[in-house]
């Protein structure tokens, strides 16, 4: 979480997208957003991106390789 400016900076850094939609619901607005998983190294650089259907073992192996 953070200010809109902070969130927008991170979204831009990762090439992600989001859209806030007012649905009129008592639960509040709906946020549509990128659903990729980003694996970062200790310096905060993107090492790999995973799509929603990525295999757990592939993610685990990539993490072990760091």
């Amino acid at each position: 979480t953070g200010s809109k400016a902070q969130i927008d900076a991170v979204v831009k850094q990762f090439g992600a997208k989001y859209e806030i939609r007012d649905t009129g619901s008592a639960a509040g607005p709906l946020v549509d957003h990128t659903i990729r998983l980003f694996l970062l190294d200790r310096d905060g650089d993107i090492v790999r991106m995973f799509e929603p259907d990525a295999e757990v073992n592939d993610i685990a192996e990539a993490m072990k390789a760091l």
Side-chain angles (χ1 to χ4, degrees), residues 3-55:
S3 69
K4 182 170 182 343
Q6 291 169 322
I7 292 168
D8 288 347
V10 172
V11 167
K12 182 177 180 181
Q13 177 184 358
F14 288 95
K17 298 177 183 176
Y18 75 95
E19 178 183 0
I20 300 172
R21 294 189 294 131
D22 182 7
T23 62
S25 168
L30 179 67
V31 180
D32 294 325
H33 56 80
T34 303
I35 56 174
R36 287 187 188 102
L37 176 66
F38 296 89
L39 177 61
L40 309 177
D41 64 16
R42 292 184 187 270
D43 295 323
D45 296 320
I46 299 171
V47 174
R48 191 156 167 204
M49 291 187 297
F50 297 94
E51 296 298 328
D53 60 350
E55 296 292 327

